[in-house]
Amino acid sequence: MFSGRTRDRGSQPYLHLLAIGVVNDYLKSLLELNLSKPSKGSSIVLAVSDPILASSIKAELNIQCDASRSALDILRGIRQHAPKLLKGMQADDLIKAQLGLGHSYSRAKLKFNVNRVDNMIIQAIALLDQLDKDVNLFSMRIREWYGYHFPELAKIVPDNYLYAKTVQFIGPKESLNEEKIPDLATLLEDDTTKAQNVLDAARGSMGASLSELDMLNISLFATRVVSLADYRKSLSSYLAEKMNLVAPSLTALLGERIGARLISHAGSLTNLSKYPASTVQILGAEKALFRALKTKGNTPKVRVFCHRRFLYSDGHLTNSMVCCTIRPSSEELARNTRAASRASWLTSAHWPLVSIASQVCSRARPTLV
């Protein structure tokens, strides 16, 4: 145990095998060297702290093992009085060995964490949802704040992102003139008519005048809203790239936002691939499920899937506005999601999307919309 193997880098594979309850070659040779060969009348019992490792030792070496509470108490006593029981051992040797062993094992677990890519997706979708709320809240604040000065602009520019950029460009409404029309039209997606309407509304606006200090703070706030919106777009692109790399089949079936949200609720892609279709179907509705079980009401059917509509439209459309649309049920979509997540977990190759669409559409009911 204290031969130095537990402190060097070569001990990491042995630690991983011990953590999952597998008997490695070093442990096997150590037990064979210090314990006599088991026989029918042998009374040797090995105290092991891990029940899984105890069963592995018994199956591999045919040594009787004990992982009960009394065995744990014996092991605890040995660790506590190890300097007195082991000759040539100092009082702090065991502490140093445990500290080095713990650091080495923790570093290895973090380095070889299979969910490290999933963690990036989970953090990205959580930040993206938070940014959506923040951008919407800040856009409402900038509309209300700048509305005291130029209330007519809110109806002309309904988009929140374009509204913040317009406020940043205009500043005081008195400074808007004919010379700024081309730049304002470029800002409003090359809409000259809308830019002219903004100028006409600014000239006849009923808003109050603001001081330079007030306008400076409004401009700074508009700049912050625009920067947050731009960062949200870049984060969305990053999430789409990560999802196409980690879970291409799940992304193709549900989209990157819904797929990432499912991975976030499950904890990892590995957990999502192991869930049955019934669990996948109600991910995100745990509170509603337990509330329904407590009150004996109707259980929820879907939660995350309510944001996604898997539509298959006929390409041969006539002049009429009637379109044949096939919609799978939530159970079918949950089954396909489970299969797609398992395919993404087992391999990085794309799942045959044609077979997915054919399976969904063959069992779905056609409806007229």
Side-chain angles (χ1 to χ4, degrees):
M1 176 178 178
F2 300 99
S3 62
R5 180 175 294 273
T6 57
R7 301 183 186 182
D8 57 12
R9 295 182 179 179
S11 64
Q12 293 180 2
Y14 298 100
L15 295 178
H16 287 294
L17 293 176
L18 287 176
I20 61 178
V22 177
V23 179
N24 53 67
D25 297 336
Y26 178 72
L27 178 62
K28 184 177 180 181
S29 61
L30 180 66
L31 293 177
E32 290 177 350
L33 179 64
N34 292 276
L35 297 180
S36 60
K37 293 184 178 181
S39 59
K40 293 183 178 180
S42 178
S43 60
I44 297 177
V45 179
L46 181 63
V48 184
S49 60
D50 187 8
I52 301 177
L53 182 60
S55 59
S56 300
I57 293 175
K58 182 175 178 57
E60 187 78 17
L61 302 175
N62 196 20
I63 298 177
Q64 188 68 25
C65 298
D66 185 10
S68 62
R69 189 176 183 83
S70 58
L72 296 179
D73 294 337
I74 293 174
L75 291 174
R76 190 182 301 110
I78 293 176
R79 285 195 300 268
Q80 185 176 357
H81 302 285
K84 299 178 181 178
L85 298 176
L86 301 176
K87 295 181 179 180
M89 183 178 178
Q90 302 296 328
D92 57 344
D93 288 346
L94 183 61
I95 298 177
K96 293 179 180 179
Q98 290 175 345
L99 186 61
L101 185 64
H103 286 178
S104 176
Y105 181 70
S106 299
R107 282 194 299 266
K109 289 290 287 185
L110 292 175
K111 183 178 179 181
F112 297 104
N113 185 11
V114 296
N115 300 326
R116 62 184 183 274
V117 182
D118 301 346
N119 293 336
M120 300 299 105
I121 294 176
I122 293 172
Q123 296 297 329
I125 188 61
L127 180 57
L128 194 59
D129 292 339
Q130 187 63 41
L131 281 177
D132 287 338
K133 297 178 182 178
D134 293 342
V135 170
N136 290 332
L137 178 61
F138 292 161
S139 299
M140 181 185 67
R141 294 301 179 191
I142 192 66
R143 284 177 179 272
E144 183 178 356
W145 199 356
Y146 194 70
Y148 293 116
H149 180 63
F150 192 2
E152 294 82 5
L153 184 63
K155 294 183 179 179
I156 302 175
V157 186
D159 185 74
N160 292 331
Y161 180 68
L162 291 180
Y163 184 89
K165 294 190 70 174
T166 305
V167 171
Q168 185 182 7
F169 175 78
I170 294 176
K173 61 183 178 181
E174 295 83 8
S175 63
L176 187 61
N177 51 33
E178 295 286 347
E179 297 178 356
K180 295 184 177 180
I181 290 297
D183 296 335
L184 183 59
T186 304
L187 186 64
L188 296 175
E189 300 176 350
D190 297 330
D191 194 341
T192 308
T193 304
K194 185 178 291 186
Q196 186 62 42
N197 293 336
V198 171
L199 177 60
D200 296 339
R203 289 175 176 176
S205 177
M206 299 178 62
S209 299
L210 297 179
S211 63
E212 294 183 3
L213 182 60
D214 295 336
M215 188 55 62
L216 177 61
N217 283 276
I218 292 176
S219 300
L220 291 176
F221 185 48
T223 304
R224 183 60 58 88
V225 173
V226 171
S227 64
L228 282 177
D230 292 336
Y231 174 66
R232 182 198 168 279
K233 291 181 181 180
S234 63
L235 184 63
S236 181
S237 301
Y238 164 77
L239 179 62
E241 182 181 354
K242 276 291 184 181
M243 284 296 296
N244 286 319
L245 180 64
V246 176
S249 302
L250 192 63
T251 306
L253 180 63
L254 298 174
E256 61 273 4
R257 295 286 295 270
I258 305 302
R261 198 167 281 115
L262 283 174
I263 293 176
S264 177
H265 281 291
S268 65
L269 182 62
T270 304
N271 295 340
L272 182 62
S273 63
K274 295 178 182 179
Y275 282 165
S278 58
T279 304
V280 174
Q281 184 181 351
I282 62 171
L283 278 177
E286 290 84 0
K287 292 183 179 180
L289 176 63
F290 288 112
R291 183 171 60 250
L293 294 176
K294 183 178 180 180
T295 60
K296 298 181 180 180
N298 295 329
T299 57
K301 301 301 180 184
V302 292
R303 177 61 179 93
V304 178
F305 285 154
C306 65
H307 299 281
R308 173 67 176 170
R309 292 186 302 172
F310 192 100
L311 301 180
Y312 175 80
S313 301
D314 190 0
H316 303 284
L317 298 179
T318 60
N319 293 329
S320 63
M321 298 302 294
V322 179
C323 168
C324 181
T325 305
I326 299 178
R327 299 178 181 176
S329 62
S330 59
E331 293 84 359
E332 294 167 348
L333 191 57
R335 286 194 294 268
N336 288 320
T337 300
R338 178 177 179 270
S341 60
R342 179 165 295 184
S344 299
W345 175 59
L346 293 176
T347 177
S348 59
H350 285 268
W351 203 31
L353 302 179
V354 177
S355 63
I356 298 178
S358 62
Q359 291 177 10
V360 172
C361 297
S362 63
R363 295 191 297 268
R365 300 184 299 273
T367 58
L368 294 179
V369 294

